[in-house]
Amino acid sequence: MKRSSIYYFFLIGLLPLEISNAHLHKIYEENKPPNIVIIFMDDMGYGDPECYGGFPYHTPHINAMAAAGMRFTNYYAAQGVCTASRAGLLTGCYPNRVGLSGALFPWSEIALNNEEETVAELLKQKGYATGMAGKWHLGQKEPYLPLQQGFDEWLGLPYSNDMWPVDYDGKPVNEAHAKFRFPPLPLMEGNIKKREINTIDDQAKLTKMFTERAVDFIKRNKSRPFFFYLAHSMPHVPIAASEKFKGKSRGGLFGDTMEEIDWSVGEVIRTLDENHLSENTLVIFASDNGPWLTYGDHAGSTGGFREGKGTVWEGGVRVPCIMRWKGKIAAGSVCNNMVAALDILPTLVTICKTKNPVKKIDGVNILPLIMQQANANPRDEFIYYYNVNSLKAVRKGKWKLVFPHVSQTYKKTLPGKDGWPGEYASDSVKLSLYDLSTDPGETLDRKALNPGVVEELSALAERYRNELGDDLTQRKGTAVRPAAKVK
């Protein structure tokens, strides 16, 4: 027998089978656990990437990712705000199920409970190397940081990049300013503060810094299965771009920031390609919620959806999502089915053949959609919570029923400019029914024509109110798990 061959002995008959090294390598590659990379943006609106209509800047690397994979048009963030959205992504649960809502502050007294199982923990059980760079926002100090939630390493910020004692013009605030309460913004390496982010110039280095960590992690772990979570701080305000990108786009500072984010995506994809990892790596690109429209030219676009971040209207929670898996996901495919951030965890559990969480989750496996199986439709409903634990809307199929509530609105005041916010306003919302298949902008109330649909969706909402609670109807919920109490 040639040296380029080896013997395999099958238990049935114990017969020798000669297999070439090339064929053996192919078998290994086909059965090797897939690598996972999640690139998670902060406040990127549905209409911000160029392949979703963004302009006048350019995002060729994000465009190329969509051309090589699947672009989703009905992908929902778990909730229209930072902490809650990230909790949903990493646990597969509606955030209020795990006791979280809104956005945590440096002085918040709760955090993601260590008893909840994250994507990182589940993949780590399967032998994955797990790394993270960027914004965490699920607990500001040990023992509620990424290293205690399944990640081997982390470089990043414990919360949002605007939670610092610096004014909107980039100057330190005095004692009379509301932001004086914030401590200096720490850049963390694991559980240790590496240094402080004190200026806009410091902020301008974050995208590059987090990208370089992702690239380094991939190179160091290319011989074993890995999971990397790249959670960028941008384009959440204050936005900033490094010298290489500042002033280079045709879209002002927001355009510069978008083009640097696009470069980051390109660097990750290039690293995977150059290390022959693309055919065994699923890359997921998504955003945590819609754009913070009150910041005007420093905010993005909803692509025509109603309102933005901080609301249950489509502009607040429907965001871009692209998945690339060379040779597995059909190039240039589009998925119009409803999917949610909650579905990432159970889908990865299926793909990576690891264990499901012990406790109940709300996500569903969307692998049939990714693989374009005929008639697949794993998610047919979605619920919209906001303001601690208020169930404000529910969707089933094409129908969305919005319940009476007071909502933030961006339609009554002018937005801010050059990094300064505009005035906030509110709006009293009445019971209304929208057909999202023909009216994605939520402009025409159809409840008078469809009383049966209103009744069906109201019953669906009652089921969730009983299980997860609802402040609007004074329900506590029977299945809400407690957040951790920060000491």
Side-chain angles (χ1 to χ4, degrees):
M1 183 179 67
K2 296 179 180 179
R3 291 185 178 180
S4 62
S5 303
I6 69 172
Y7 279 103
Y8 266 72
F9 291 87
F10 282 16
L11 292 177
I12 300 176
L14 296 178
L15 296 176
L17 176 65
E18 191 174 296
I19 304 178
S20 69
N21 280 341
H23 188 50
L24 179 63
H25 180 73
K26 181 179 179 182
I27 292 174
Y28 170 73
E29 288 299 320
E30 289 176 349
N31 291 278
K32 183 180 178 183
N35 308 308
I36 307 296
V37 176
I38 297 178
I39 305 174
F40 206 52
M41 306 313 306
D42 199 342
D43 287 9
M44 180 177 285
Y46 185 93
D48 286 340
E50 196 174 17
C51 55
Y52 281 87
F55 74 100
Y57 48 82
H58 300 291
T59 58
H61 298 294
I62 299 174
N63 299 348
M65 186 178 169
M70 178 174 284
R71 184 171 62 88
F72 292 79
T73 63
N74 274 266
Y75 172 90
Y76 285 92
Q79 202 175 107
V81 65
C82 303
T83 293
S85 178
R86 289 155 204 277
L89 173 75
L90 293 181
T91 68
C93 297
Y94 283 115
N96 42 318
R97 183 182 293 281
V98 297
L100 293 175
S101 63
L104 296 179
F105 288 91
W107 50 83
S108 292
E109 297 179 352
I110 61 172
L112 179 64
N113 200 312
N114 293 107
E115 294 183 3
E116 302 296 341
E117 295 177 275
T118 67
V119 173
E121 288 171 305
L122 296 171
L123 295 183
K124 195 173 178 67
Q125 293 174 8
K126 193 70 174 179
Y128 276 66
T130 58
M132 177 184 173
K135 173 180 168 180
W136 175 238
H137 217 173
L138 293 172
Q140 71 273 24
K141 62 181 181 179
E142 197 175 353
Y144 309 108
L145 295 174
L147 267 60
Q148 287 77 55
Q149 298 283 8
F151 290 95
D152 297 327
E153 58 184 77
W154 169 53
L155 172 70
L157 308 180
Y159 34 77
S160 294
N161 65 327
D162 67 331
M163 295 180 179
W164 63 336
V166 177
D167 211 344
Y168 302 109
D169 58 3
K171 297 178 181 179
V173 298
N174 57 36
E175 295 182 7
H177 198 288
K179 297 190 76 173
F180 188 77
R181 184 182 182 188
F182 288 105
L185 182 62
L187 177 69
M188 305 291 292
E189 178 79 65
N191 295 324
I192 308 299
K193 184 170 81 170
K194 187 174 182 179
R195 61 182 178 86
E196 294 176 355
I197 304 298
N198 293 316
T199 67
I200 292 296
D201 286 341
D202 290 340
Q203 297 259 8
K205 299 172 184 176
L206 293 177
T207 298
K208 183 173 184 288
M209 183 191 308
F210 298 155
T211 304
E212 289 175 343
R213 175 56 63 93
V215 168
D216 176 65
F217 180 90
I218 291 170
K219 290 179 178 178
R220 284 188 283 113
N221 292 281
K222 63 183 179 181
S223 297
R224 61 178 295 193
F226 62 80
F227 165 53
F228 197 83
Y229 176 40
L230 175 55
H232 280 299
S233 295
M234 307 286 171
H236 189 292
V237 294
I239 57 174
S242 66
E243 287 302 316
K244 182 179 178 181
F245 294 91
K246 190 174 181 179
K248 300 299 194 299
S249 77
R250 295 186 299 160
L253 184 56
F254 185 84
D256 301 341
T257 303
M258 282 295 299
E259 291 194 356
E260 184 158 23
I261 289 168
D262 181 73
W263 164 84
S264 173
V265 173
E267 285 297 287
V268 172
I269 297 297
R270 178 185 61 79
T271 302
L272 294 172
D273 288 345
E274 290 180 353
N275 288 276
H276 310 289
L277 296 168
S278 289
E279 292 186 357
N280 199 45
T281 303
L282 169 61
V283 184
I284 301 172
F285 175 90
S287 177
D288 69 339
N289 49 247
W292 205 349
L293 296 176
T294 193
Y295 283 91
D297 59 347
H298 279 204
S301 165
T302 66
F305 293 129
R306 184 170 175 175
E307 298 291 359
K309 174 182 177 175
T311 76
V312 299
W313 302 109
E314 294 297 285
V317 286
R318 202 191 297 196
V319 292
C321 178
I322 301 168
M323 297 188 188
R324 176 191 190 260
W325 192 358
K326 191 175 180 181
K328 303 292 193 304
I329 295 177
S333 53
V334 176
C335 179
N336 295 319
N337 294 69
M338 190 190 335
V339 298
L342 319 173
D343 304 331
I344 300 300
L345 181 146
T347 303
L348 296 184
V349 164
T350 301
I351 291 172
C352 301
K353 299 178 181 178
T354 188
K355 295 180 180 179
N356 281 298
V358 174
K359 297 179 180 180
K360 181 177 179 179
I361 64 172
D362 300 289
V364 297
N365 172 25
I366 61 169
L367 185 59
L369 290 178
I370 297 172
M371 296 292 104
Q372 294 187 303
Q373 292 182 13
N375 302 316
N377 190 38
R379 172 171 294 283
D380 193 46
E381 61 189 46
F382 182 79
I383 55 173
Y384 305 70
Y385 272 89
Y386 199 71
N387 287 122
V388 185
N389 200 37
S390 298
L391 179 55
K392 295 188 172 184
V394 60
R395 176 179 176 180
K396 185 172 179 60
K398 69 178 184 177
W399 294 107
K400 179 177 179 180
L401 183 64
V402 180
F403 300 107
H405 67 274
V406 176
S407 174
Q408 175 180 307
T409 181
Y410 299 98
K411 303 299 183 183
K412 293 183 176 181
T413 57
L414 289 173
K417 187 177 181 181
D418 297 333
W420 293 83
E423 296 293 327
Y424 286 93
S426 61
D427 191 22
S428 294
V429 179
K430 298 179 180 179
L431 181 71
S432 48
L433 179 70
Y434 300 100
D435 180 351
L436 296 180
S437 68
T438 60
D439 181 26
E442 300 169 284
T443 62
L444 184 61
D445 179 10
R446 297 174 182 265
K447 68 176 181 294
L449 297 176
N450 300 277
V453 175
V454 173
E455 183 178 356
E456 180 185 5
L457 268 63
S458 295
L460 177 62
E462 278 297 289
R463 175 165 65 83
Y464 279 106
R465 289 185 182 115
N466 290 333
E467 187 174 350
L468 300 179
D470 175 27
D471 291 346
L472 294 177
T473 56
Q474 289 79 53
R475 309 287 182 84
K476 292 296 183 182
T478 60
V480 176
R481 305 196 288 264
K485 296 293 185 181
V486 176
K487 298 178 181 179

PDB file of all heavy atoms in Angstrom, residues 219-234:
ATOM      1  N   LYS A 219      -7.420  33.658  13.265  1.00  0.00           N
ATOM      2  CA  LYS A 219      -6.131  33.078  12.874  1.00  0.00           C
ATOM      3  C   LYS A 219      -5.593  32.136  13.952  1.00  0.00           C
ATOM      4  O   LYS A 219      -5.033  31.083  13.652  1.00  0.00           O
ATOM      5  CB  LYS A 219      -5.124  34.194  12.591  1.00  0.00           C
ATOM      6  CG  LYS A 219      -5.408  34.989  11.328  1.00  0.00           C
ATOM      7  CD  LYS A 219      -4.370  36.082  11.135  1.00  0.00           C
ATOM      8  CE  LYS A 219      -4.599  36.851   9.848  1.00  0.00           C
ATOM      9  NZ  LYS A 219      -3.611  37.953   9.676  1.00  0.00           N
ATOM     10  N   ARG A 220      -5.757  32.523  15.218  1.00  0.00           N
ATOM     11  CA  ARG A 220      -5.235  31.698  16.310  1.00  0.00           C
ATOM     12  C   ARG A 220      -6.009  30.401  16.510  1.00  0.00           C
ATOM     13  O   ARG A 220      -5.496  29.435  17.075  1.00  0.00           O
ATOM     14  CB  ARG A 220      -5.254  32.502  17.619  1.00  0.00           C
ATOM     15  CG  ARG A 220      -4.154  33.529  17.746  1.00  0.00           C
ATOM     16  CD  ARG A 220      -4.119  34.137  19.143  1.00  0.00           C
ATOM     17  NE  ARG A 220      -5.163  35.131  19.360  1.00  0.00           N
ATOM     18  CZ  ARG A 220      -6.172  34.994  20.195  1.00  0.00           C
ATOM     19  NH1 ARG A 220      -6.314  33.873  20.895  1.00  0.00           N
ATOM     20  NH2 ARG A 220      -7.064  35.961  20.353  1.00  0.00           N
ATOM     21  N   ASN A 221      -7.270  30.395  16.063  1.00  0.00           N
ATOM     22  CA  ASN A 221      -8.118  29.235  16.327  1.00  0.00           C
ATOM     23  C   ASN A 221      -8.586  28.522  15.068  1.00  0.00           C
ATOM     24  O   ASN A 221      -9.547  27.753  15.105  1.00  0.00           O
ATOM     25  CB  ASN A 221      -9.331  29.682  17.147  1.00  0.00           C
ATOM     26  CG  ASN A 221      -8.964  30.115  18.548  1.00  0.00           C
ATOM     27  OD1 ASN A 221      -8.744  29.289  19.428  1.00  0.00           O
ATOM     28  ND2 ASN A 221      -8.875  31.431  18.746  1.00  0.00           N
ATOM     29  N   LYS A 222      -7.875  28.738  13.961  1.00  0.00           N
ATOM     30  CA  LYS A 222      -8.327  28.186  12.687  1.00  0.00           C
ATOM     31  C   LYS A 222      -8.262  26.661  12.623  1.00  0.00           C
ATOM     32  O   LYS A 222      -8.883  26.058  11.749  1.00  0.00           O
ATOM     33  CB  LYS A 222      -7.506  28.791  11.545  1.00  0.00           C
ATOM     34  CG  LYS A 222      -6.019  28.483  11.585  1.00  0.00           C
ATOM     35  CD  LYS A 222      -5.292  29.182  10.452  1.00  0.00           C
ATOM     36  CE  LYS A 222      -3.797  28.907  10.468  1.00  0.00           C
ATOM     37  NZ  LYS A 222      -3.110  29.629   9.368  1.00  0.00           N
ATOM     38  N   SER A 223      -7.523  26.034  13.541  1.00  0.00           N
ATOM     39  CA  SER A 223      -7.400  24.574  13.513  1.00  0.00           C
ATOM     40  C   SER A 223      -8.410  23.879  14.413  1.00  0.00           C
ATOM     41  O   SER A 223      -8.348  22.654  14.578  1.00  0.00           O
ATOM     42  CB  SER A 223      -5.971  24.167  13.922  1.00  0.00           C
ATOM     43  OG  SER A 223      -5.023  24.670  13.002  1.00  0.00           O
ATOM     44  N   ARG A 224      -9.321  24.640  15.016  1.00  0.00           N
ATOM     45  CA  ARG A 224     -10.350  24.054  15.872  1.00  0.00           C
ATOM     46  C   ARG A 224     -11.652  24.801  15.647  1.00  0.00           C
ATOM     47  O   ARG A 224     -11.645  25.919  15.112  1.00  0.00           O
ATOM     48  CB  ARG A 224      -9.934  24.151  17.348  1.00  0.00           C
ATOM     49  CG  ARG A 224      -9.728  25.571  17.845  1.00  0.00           C
ATOM     50  CD  ARG A 224      -9.362  25.649  19.306  1.00  0.00           C
ATOM     51  NE  ARG A 224     -10.430  25.190  20.183  1.00  0.00           N
ATOM     52  CZ  ARG A 224     -10.446  25.389  21.499  1.00  0.00           C
ATOM     53  NH1 ARG A 224      -9.436  26.010  22.091  1.00  0.00           N
ATOM     54  NH2 ARG A 224     -11.450  24.956  22.241  1.00  0.00           N
ATOM     55  N   PRO A 225     -12.781  24.235  15.992  1.00  0.00           N
ATOM     56  CA  PRO A 225     -14.031  24.979  15.817  1.00  0.00           C
ATOM     57  C   PRO A 225     -14.057  26.205  16.727  1.00  0.00           C
ATOM     58  O   PRO A 225     -13.612  26.148  17.873  1.00  0.00           O
ATOM     59  CB  PRO A 225     -15.110  23.959  16.219  1.00  0.00           C
ATOM     60  CG  PRO A 225     -14.409  22.951  17.052  1.00  0.00           C
ATOM     61  CD  PRO A 225     -13.008  22.878  16.520  1.00  0.00           C
ATOM     62  N   PHE A 226     -14.560  27.322  16.194  1.00  0.00           N
ATOM     63  CA  PHE A 226     -14.590  28.551  16.984  1.00  0.00           C
ATOM     64  C   PHE A 226     -15.888  29.308  16.786  1.00  0.00           C
ATOM     65  O   PHE A 226     -16.580  29.162  15.778  1.00  0.00           O
ATOM     66  CB  PHE A 226     -13.395  29.452  16.647  1.00  0.00           C
ATOM     67  CG  PHE A 226     -13.353  29.936  15.223  1.00  0.00           C
ATOM     68  CD1 PHE A 226     -14.128  31.003  14.790  1.00  0.00           C
ATOM     69  CD2 PHE A 226     -12.509  29.324  14.289  1.00  0.00           C
ATOM     70  CE1 PHE A 226     -14.088  31.459  13.468  1.00  0.00           C
ATOM     71  CE2 PHE A 226     -12.452  29.767  12.972  1.00  0.00           C
ATOM     72  CZ  PHE A 226     -13.242  30.832  12.567  1.00  0.00           C
ATOM     73  N   PHE A 227     -16.199  30.124  17.793  1.00  0.00           N
ATOM     74  CA  PHE A 227     -17.320  31.050  17.748  1.00  0.00           C
ATOM     75  C   PHE A 227     -16.795  32.414  18.141  1.00  0.00           C
ATOM     76  O   PHE A 227     -16.183  32.577  19.206  1.00  0.00           O
ATOM     77  CB  PHE A 227     -18.422  30.617  18.720  1.00  0.00           C
ATOM     78  CG  PHE A 227     -19.448  31.684  19.011  1.00  0.00           C
ATOM     79  CD1 PHE A 227     -20.128  32.336  17.982  1.00  0.00           C
ATOM     80  CD2 PHE A 227     -19.752  32.044  20.324  1.00  0.00           C
ATOM     81  CE1 PHE A 227     -21.079  33.322  18.255  1.00  0.00           C
ATOM     82  CE2 PHE A 227     -20.700  33.032  20.607  1.00  0.00           C
ATOM     83  CZ  PHE A 227     -21.359  33.669  19.573  1.00  0.00           C
ATOM     84  N   PHE A 228     -17.008  33.408  17.273  1.00  0.00           N
ATOM     85  CA  PHE A 228     -16.600  34.772  17.606  1.00  0.00           C
ATOM     86  C   PHE A 228     -17.790  35.710  17.460  1.00  0.00           C
ATOM     87  O   PHE A 228     -18.503  35.691  16.452  1.00  0.00           O
ATOM     88  CB  PHE A 228     -15.448  35.266  16.741  1.00  0.00           C
ATOM     89  CG  PHE A 228     -14.780  36.478  17.334  1.00  0.00           C
ATOM     90  CD1 PHE A 228     -13.812  36.333  18.317  1.00  0.00           C
ATOM     91  CD2 PHE A 228     -15.141  37.763  16.953  1.00  0.00           C
ATOM     92  CE1 PHE A 228     -13.214  37.447  18.919  1.00  0.00           C
ATOM     93  CE2 PHE A 228     -14.553  38.874  17.534  1.00  0.00           C
ATOM     94  CZ  PHE A 228     -13.589  38.719  18.520  1.00  0.00           C
ATOM     95  N   TYR A 229     -17.964  36.539  18.473  1.00  0.00           N
ATOM     96  CA  TYR A 229     -19.054  37.519  18.546  1.00  0.00           C
ATOM     97  C   TYR A 229     -18.443  38.908  18.464  1.00  0.00           C
ATOM     98  O   TYR A 229     -17.836  39.391  19.414  1.00  0.00           O
ATOM     99  CB  TYR A 229     -19.800  37.301  19.862  1.00  0.00           C
ATOM    100  CG  TYR A 229     -20.908  38.260  20.201  1.00  0.00           C
ATOM    101  CD1 TYR A 229     -21.802  38.740  19.250  1.00  0.00           C
ATOM    102  CD2 TYR A 229     -21.099  38.664  21.528  1.00  0.00           C
ATOM    103  CE1 TYR A 229     -22.833  39.605  19.596  1.00  0.00           C
ATOM    104  CE2 TYR A 229     -22.122  39.524  21.893  1.00  0.00           C
ATOM    105  CZ  TYR A 229     -22.985  39.990  20.926  1.00  0.00           C
ATOM    106  OH  TYR A 229     -24.015  40.844  21.274  1.00  0.00           O
ATOM    107  N   LEU A 230     -18.579  39.544  17.294  1.00  0.00           N
ATOM    108  CA  LEU A 230     -18.037  40.886  17.052  1.00  0.00           C
ATOM    109  C   LEU A 230     -19.184  41.875  17.190  1.00  0.00           C
ATOM    110  O   LEU A 230     -19.991  42.048  16.273  1.00  0.00           O
ATOM    111  CB  LEU A 230     -17.401  40.949  15.661  1.00  0.00           C
ATOM    112  CG  LEU A 230     -16.882  42.307  15.179  1.00  0.00           C
ATOM    113  CD1 LEU A 230     -15.893  42.905  16.162  1.00  0.00           C
ATOM    114  CD2 LEU A 230     -16.250  42.164  13.793  1.00  0.00           C
ATOM    115  N   ALA A 231     -19.278  42.507  18.355  1.00  0.00           N
ATOM    116  CA  ALA A 231     -20.402  43.392  18.681  1.00  0.00           C
ATOM    117  C   ALA A 231     -19.942  44.852  18.628  1.00  0.00           C
ATOM    118  O   ALA A 231     -19.521  45.421  19.642  1.00  0.00           O
ATOM    119  CB  ALA A 231     -20.958  43.046  20.058  1.00  0.00           C
ATOM    120  N   HIS A 232     -20.002  45.439  17.457  1.00  0.00           N
ATOM    121  CA  HIS A 232     -19.517  46.810  17.269  1.00  0.00           C
ATOM    122  C   HIS A 232     -20.310  47.820  18.093  1.00  0.00           C
ATOM    123  O   HIS A 232     -21.508  47.649  18.344  1.00  0.00           O
ATOM    124  CB  HIS A 232     -19.595  47.191  15.796  1.00  0.00           C
ATOM    125  CG  HIS A 232     -18.466  46.667  14.980  1.00  0.00           C
ATOM    126  ND1 HIS A 232     -17.152  47.017  15.226  1.00  0.00           N
ATOM    127  CD2 HIS A 232     -18.436  45.827  13.912  1.00  0.00           C
ATOM    128  CE1 HIS A 232     -16.369  46.408  14.345  1.00  0.00           C
ATOM    129  NE2 HIS A 232     -17.119  45.679  13.549  1.00  0.00           N
ATOM    130  N   SER A 233     -19.635  48.886  18.499  1.00  0.00           N
ATOM    131  CA  SER A 233     -20.284  49.985  19.220  1.00  0.00           C
ATOM    132  C   SER A 233     -20.954  50.968  18.266  1.00  0.00           C
ATOM    133  O   SER A 233     -21.793  51.768  18.696  1.00  0.00           O
ATOM    134  CB  SER A 233     -19.249  50.739  20.068  1.00  0.00           C
ATOM    135  OG  SER A 233     -18.742  49.909  21.074  1.00  0.00           O
ATOM    136  N   MET A 234     -20.582  50.941  17.022  1.00  0.00           N
ATOM    137  CA  MET A 234     -21.112  51.855  16.018  1.00  0.00           C
ATOM    138  C   MET A 234     -22.193  51.151  15.191  1.00  0.00           C
ATOM    139  O   MET A 234     -22.210  49.932  15.125  1.00  0.00           O
ATOM    140  CB  MET A 234     -19.984  52.328  15.090  1.00  0.00           C
ATOM    141  CG  MET A 234     -18.791  52.904  15.798  1.00  0.00           C
ATOM    142  SD  MET A 234     -19.101  54.542  16.463  1.00  0.00           S
ATOM    143  CE  MET A 234     -17.613  54.786  17.438  1.00  0.00           C
TER     144      MET A 234
END
